[in-house]
């Protein structure tokens, strides 16, 4: 089989670049301060011009927005602030016209307490949906059924007088936990998935999948070992042994895969966080009857980007038929912007290029977060403008997620081209100075470089889907070698500020940035070479 044939035989998603869009913050088409689906549709050419393969849209479903869409009150309806189903159909049509696949979020571990399913479930102990959520009696002294804690702070149980029982919620108390041990509930959420597949979506990002099932015996979690890291939530004091990661989750995933296999070229990726994420991600993606991919928080909450971190992360996903395909993100809607975490302000221009080139050089799918191609940084949101419930509850110890969800700057007008003079969050002055319009006119901008880096990945099979044959680190020096379809490339990165000499750097230079050469790597420089056999 020729190299070209090998590449063409791979599914579209293997090695894809994916662009996450947070709909509230991308583009406001009607001036109400909140981004919407027509706004996304309007700006899809920008995404397509980057060379992106697929977009992932964060939740836009009907919701009271207590957790900004991750509390769904109707899985089959678009929330009016984002538009309606016809707007979504227009988005799908335009994306496909531009050659973009469309992935949407699915939140199956919980719903909003305003969902009709929960309203029926809480009405009595013997209604048809009584067992669709996780309900339990109080202990004899009236205390909650177990010691489980919620991610956002406080016990994971809330008393409900209607049923005279507690219900479980791993996040906000307005996000009751669905009982996915119940096959009727599984059927219901699979019907939701089919609804969106019939509307033309190309895949799903499944939120908090390892929270989907709990220990039915409701055993207490053990305490977590002592740590030097400050604990800001009761959740941090426990080993999450019984409230998540149940052994029956992979069987539910098999049902998801059976459904998506009825359609052509559907891609599924799970978000899996927590202390046991690696084991769970492997279970969730093993073989040909589970999900296609998964990602965790290796980089999203890392305080520094180190060569050791990169090699360690790649080593967790060896090129093995029985192990799934990874996806990588340096930024997303839950994590602080990487440039604000990983480098000093004076180094951001060079570091942004380094970070971009590294992301497209990793084995796995590369997920860009909206505005990452512009070099957006974390915006400091004052307390009185916060929307993030976790940040409000844990102020000031939890860094606000709002700072990474600020409006996309499109031009240099008063509203930065977002579409409203008073957007739901401030744009941020530093980000206002880096709009798309300005960077499009500059061939040396980060936007221009991101396009070039994505094209490099697409044009070289070793970078797009090749195996990692070697990953070594020596201080700030990172060297990754990848091979596919008869091509071998070596990627060298200097993740520090001191110039490094490079030994045995041979081959044709495919890309060199920040002053890199085959003899040395200045601060934050990188070079990728193709090595002939």
């Amino acid at each position: 089989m020729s190299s070209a044939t090998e590449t063409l035989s791979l599914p579209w998603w293997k090695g894809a670049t994916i662009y996450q869009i947070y709909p509230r913050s991308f583009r406001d088409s009607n001036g109400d301060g909140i981004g919407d689906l027509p706004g996304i549709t309007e700006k899809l050419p920008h995404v397509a011009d980057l060379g992106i393969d697929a977009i992932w849209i964060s939740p836009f479903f009907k919701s009271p927005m207590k957790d900004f869409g991750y509390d769904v009150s109707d899985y089959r309806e678009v929330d009016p602030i984002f538009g309606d189903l016809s707007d979504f159909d227009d988005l799908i049509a335009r994306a496909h016209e531009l050659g973009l696949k469309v992935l949407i979020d699915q939140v199956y571990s919980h719903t909003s307490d305003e969902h009709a399913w929960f309203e029926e479930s809480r009405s009595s102990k013997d209604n048809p949906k009584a067992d669709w959520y996780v309900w339990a009696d109080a202990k004899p002294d009236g205390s909650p059924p177990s010691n489980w804690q919620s991610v956002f702070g406080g016990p994971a149980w809330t008393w409900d007088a209607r049923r005279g029982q507690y219900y479980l919620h791993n996040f906000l108390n307005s996000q009751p936990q669905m009982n996915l041990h119940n096959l009727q509930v599984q059927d219901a959420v699979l019907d939701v998935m089919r609804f969106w597949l019939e509307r033309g979506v190309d895949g799903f990002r499944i939120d908090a999948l390892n929270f989907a099932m709990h220990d039915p015996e409701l055993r207490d979690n053990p305490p977590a070992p002592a740590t030097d890291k400050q604990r800001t939530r009761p959740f941090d004091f426990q080993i999450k042994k019984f409230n998540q990661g149940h052994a029956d989750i992979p069987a539910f995933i098999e049902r998801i895969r059976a459904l998506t296999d009825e359609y052509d070229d559907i891609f599924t990726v799970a978000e899996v966080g927590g202390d046991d994420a690696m084991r769970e991600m492997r279970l969730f993606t093993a073989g040909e009857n589970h999900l296609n991919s998964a990602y965790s928080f290796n980089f999203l909450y890392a305080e520094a980007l180190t060569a050791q971190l990169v090699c360690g992360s790649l080593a967790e996903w060896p090129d093995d038929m029985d192990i799934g395909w990874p996806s990588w993100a340096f930024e997303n809607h839950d994590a602080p912007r990487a440039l604000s975490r990983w480098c000093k302000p004076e180094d951001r221009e060079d570091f942004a290029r380094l970070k971009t080139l590294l992301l497209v050089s990793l084995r796995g799918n590369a997920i860009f977060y909206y505005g990452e191609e512009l070099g957006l940084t974390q915006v400091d949101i004052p307390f009185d403008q916060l929307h993030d419930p976790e940040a409000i509850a844990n102020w000031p110890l939890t860094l606000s997620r709002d700072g990474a969800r600020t409006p996309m700057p499109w031009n240099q007008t008063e509203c930065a081209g977002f579409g409203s003079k008073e957007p739901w969050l401030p744009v941020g002055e530093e980000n206002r100075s880096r709009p798309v319009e300005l960077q499009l006119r500059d061939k040396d901008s980060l936007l221009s470089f991101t396009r070039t880096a994505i094209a490099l990945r697409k044009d070289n099979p070793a970078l797009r889907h090749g195996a990692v044959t070697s990953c070594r680190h020596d201080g700030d020096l990172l060297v990754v070698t990848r091979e596919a379809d008869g091509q071998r490339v070596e990627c060298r990165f200097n993740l520090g500020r001191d110039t490094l000499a490079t030994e045995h750097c041979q081959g044709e230079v495919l890309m060199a940035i920040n002053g890199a050469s085959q003899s040395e790597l200045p601060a934050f420089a990188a070079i990728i070479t193709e090595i002939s056999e």
Side-chain angles (χ1 to χ4, degrees), residues 246-257:
H246 193 273
D248 289 346
I249 295 176
F252 169 55
I253 291 171
E254 289 181 20
R255 298 194 68 195
I256 292 176
R257 180 60 181 266

Side-chain angles (χ1 to χ4, degrees), residues 234-266:
F235 183 77
D236 301 326
F237 285 81
Q238 295 183 353
I239 296 174
K240 274 66 77 174
K241 184 175 182 179
F242 295 115
N243 64 318
Q244 63 185 76
H246 193 273
D248 289 346
I249 295 176
F252 169 55
I253 291 171
E254 289 181 20
R255 298 194 68 195
I256 292 176
R257 180 60 181 266
L259 171 60
T260 59
D261 279 350
E262 295 178 22
Y263 298 79
D264 293 332
D265 298 326
I266 302 302

Side-chain angles (χ1 to χ4, degrees), residues 325-354:
W325 182 256
S327 292
W328 305 106
F330 291 167
E331 303 181 7
N332 77 0
H333 62 289
D334 283 333
R337 292 282 185 178
L339 291 181
S340 298
R341 281 183 284 132
W342 286 347
C343 67
K344 296 179 179 179
E346 61 267 28
D347 296 327
R348 282 177 182 162
E349 184 174 345
D350 289 341
F351 193 93
R353 286 168 172 73
L354 173 75

Side-chain angles (χ1 to χ4, degrees), residues 146-149 220-225 231 233-241 243 275:
S146 73
N147 71 346
W148 300 347
Q149 299 294 310
D220 283 349
N221 280 332
R231 291 167 167 169
R233 308 167 298 176
F235 183 77
D236 301 326
F237 285 81
Q238 295 183 353
I239 296 174
K240 274 66 77 174
K241 184 175 182 179
N243 64 318
D275 300 332

Side-chain angles (χ1 to χ4, degrees), residues 30 50 93 125 151 155 161 214 223 256 265 284 312 362 433 445 468 519:
N30 60 7
L50 285 171
K125 293 182 180 179
V151 174
H214 64 291
I256 292 176
D265 298 326
F284 297 173
L362 298 179
S433 69
S445 67
V468 176
S519 60

